[in-house]
Amino acid sequence: MCAAVVAAVLAAALAGLPRPAAANPPAGTFAERLSGHGGPVMDVAATPTDALTASFDNSVGYWDLATGTARWLEGHRAAVKSVTRLSPTQAVSSGDDFSAIVWDLAAGTPIHRLEGHQGTVADVAVSPGGTRIATAGWDGRIGIWSADGALERWLTGHDGAVNAVAFVDDATLASASADGSLRVWSLATGAETRVLARHGFAINVLAVNAAAGWIAYGAVDGVTRVASLADGTTVADLSAGRRPVLALALSPDCGQLAIGDGEGHVMVVETNGWTVTSDSAATARGPVWALSFADDAHLVAGGIDDSAAVIAATGITAPVLGAVQRPFLRPPEEMDNGERQFQRKCSVCHTLTGGGDRRAGPTLAGIIGRPAGTVPGYRYSEMLSHSDIIWSEATLGALFDLGPEHYVPGSNMPMQRITDARDRHDLIDFLRQNTE
Ligand code: HEC
């Protein structure tokens, strides 16, 4: 794995590919922050010169790491959960819209859509030779696809949502599930060949070092363990007790493993003797969902902020994320019921005022009296852009009384009902007063 990553980076450097925004920035100079997303950062895939970020705002950011500027890859219809490099010129991402997308990085456009899962596609992985893509579905299935987007087969056997996939080699895949198991599959036959762990708690994340013969896994109960790929015996137990474990990243030379958790820490372990070289809080509040090494000395980390940060793998002196209080985390007693409804249920996807903020949904500025599907520049679903609804207290009430899936079936709005009439009334009152 480590060697394959290095090869891809070298190939990119040799090909002299155009980078986003700036041409050929020197490797090893890093912007401190990657700012511009309109929602939390769920995953990151970095090289010494660029990074891909997957965000709750439905987009993938393609960053020039020297300048901290991004190009946006737009095409997912819901939150993006995972992103990785497919080749020097292509990436693949997946998310809550039940699909994965192969992107042309130079053009910034989708090339293939990998459809067929019946739930969130929580993780996507690329084989070392770049010939296969694996998708982890919360429908309990794993999709195996060729690099041109054609489905090769479904792998079935997990008893719960599949959270993570990682290739051991081009014909062998490891997978981890909410059913607590870590399994290995032969892609030649589609059969499960080994169960490496029965952990008892959901396993969230994986990192493989095939050359060294181990796989690391992180779980909901705070356990991070390194297991032998041959027989599952424990090579090292790196559990720090902070739960859940949400991110694992291996450095390009495979010498370091970074672990991110729900309490906002990033721990770096040196993989020769499994000693902890750094363990510090990367976020003032909230989890670390996204971690990837840019080079052997730098990590890119993301979480609940609308931005990711570049941090030294040797340790950080103060939290670099989570400094800004997200409105939906404000103490409930500071807000009246209408505002509380909005902050908790809507603010992660909608702003109240227009402006440059990127969010998954269109701004709600001027919503009362506004015809549906008419914010300029926002990419609506066909359903909403062709609707003749005018948003009013009555139509907004119906939207959340019935739920978007019934009131505007086929729209990209998340399924959500507000069944309490007083909550609906207070929310709409709040919107009326704060969106004029
Ligand atoms: C996970 C993200 C998400 C959340 C949470 C969310 N929305 Fe939305 N909303 C969207 C998306 C995406 C669209 C556009 C749907 C489409 O194009 O079909 C949308 C569209 C809308 C529209 C139609 C706007 C227009 O211009 O026609 C309204 C009104 C709306 N949302 C209100 C709300 C309210 C009120 C809440 C909270 C109770 C909420 N939404 C929660 C993502 C979200």
Side-chain angles (χ1 to χ4, degrees):
M1 275 302 184
C2 323
V5 172
V6 173
V9 170
L10 275 178
L14 292 173
L17 282 170
R19 295 284 167 196
N24 303 320
T29 26
F30 298 110
E32 281 174 25
R33 269 188 108 78
L34 310 178
S35 300
H37 273 301
V41 176
M42 312 298 296
D43 193 23
V44 59
T47 76
T49 51
D50 55 35
L52 293 153
T53 49
S55 171
F56 205 86
D57 71 5
N58 297 6
S59 62
V60 172
Y62 178 34
W63 303 85
D64 179 330
L65 274 184
T67 61
T69 50
R71 277 170 61 175
W72 304 105
L73 310 183
E74 308 277 5
H76 279 291
R77 289 180 287 264
V80 192
K81 287 288 174 65
S82 177
V83 64
T84 194
R85 190 66 67 129
L86 176 57
S87 74
T89 56
Q90 294 178 356
V92 53
S93 61
S94 70
D96 279 348
D97 59 359
F98 302 5
S99 66
I101 295 178
V102 174
W103 301 93
D104 177 330
L105 287 174
T109 50
I111 316 174
H112 308 296
R113 265 179 199 277
L114 282 46
E115 308 268 11
H117 276 291
Q118 285 154 14
T120 286
V121 185
D123 194 21
V124 62
V126 168
S127 69
T131 53
R132 280 190 166 123
I133 299 166
T135 49
W138 282 1
D139 59 5
R141 298 186 298 169
I142 298 162
I144 304 295
W145 319 75
S146 58
D148 66 4
L151 179 68
E152 286 183 18
R153 61 168 87 236
W154 296 106
L155 306 180
T156 54
H158 274 297
D159 297 323
V162 185
N163 291 328
V165 280
F167 280 88
V168 176
D169 56 45
D170 282 313
T172 313
L173 185 81
S175 64
S177 162
D179 70 9
S181 70
L182 167 53
R183 297 168 195 241
V184 178
W185 309 79
S186 158
L187 300 183
T189 62
E192 180 187 309
T193 51
R194 293 191 287 290
V195 177
L196 285 182
R198 288 193 190 280
H199 183 59
F201 292 89
I203 300 177
N204 290 332
V205 281
L206 293 174
V208 171
N209 184 348
W214 53 256
I215 182 165
Y217 63 92
V220 147
D221 60 342
V223 163
T224 304
R225 202 165 279 149
V226 183
S228 156
L229 275 169
D231 58 13
T233 50
T234 300
V235 174
D237 193 328
L238 308 172
S239 309
R242 294 181 294 248
R243 69 192 73 174
V245 177
L246 297 170
L248 283 179
L250 201 52
S251 62
D253 67 0
C254 288
Q256 300 167 86
L257 181 70
I259 304 160
D261 63 48
E263 295 173 34
H265 290 74
V266 173
M267 184 165 102
V268 179
V269 179
E270 159 289 299
T271 60
N272 267 327
W274 304 110
T275 51
V276 176
T277 53
S278 161
D279 187 9
S280 38
T283 66
R285 55 173 69 79
V288 173
W289 272 306
L291 270 185
S292 177
F293 280 87
D295 61 20
D296 290 321
H298 297 87
L299 278 158
V300 183
I304 207 151
D305 287 25
D306 290 349
S307 55
V310 181
I311 59 180
T314 47
I316 40 181
T317 47
V320 287
L321 293 167
V324 180
Q325 172 92 293
R326 303 285 308 211
F328 57 83
L329 295 176
R330 258 170 57 198
E333 61 276 12
E334 284 179 13
M335 301 180 268
D336 67 25
N337 186 42
E339 179 172 12
R340 199 156 58 231
Q341 296 296 323
F342 174 78
Q343 298 297 2
R344 290 250 188 91
K345 297 175 180 168
C346 325
S347 69
V348 70
C349 295
H350 293 287
T351 61
L352 295 168
T353 51
D357 229 9
R358 302 175 60 76
R359 294 283 160 100
T363 177
L364 298 182
I367 189 69
I368 306 285
R370 199 170 90 189
T374 55
V375 170
Y378 182 81
R379 293 154 35 94
Y380 286 96
S381 64
E382 291 278 295
M383 180 59 215
L384 217 57
S385 53
H386 293 145
S387 148
D388 52 13
I389 295 170
I390 311 276
W391 295 117
S392 65
E393 297 184 20
T395 53
L396 284 170
L399 178 67
F400 292 105
D401 185 10
L402 304 171
E405 70 276 26
H406 295 294
Y407 191 61
V408 278
S411 92
N412 294 338
M413 283 205 70
M415 283 187 244
Q416 123 160 293
R417 287 182 67 198
I418 301 175
T419 48
D420 184 316
R422 194 182 56 100
D423 287 348
R424 280 200 307 276
H425 173 268
D426 291 351
L427 169 65
I428 293 164
D429 237 25
F430 172 81
L431 289 177
R432 196 167 39 74
Q433 286 163 23
N434 292 278
T435 58
E436 279 167 1

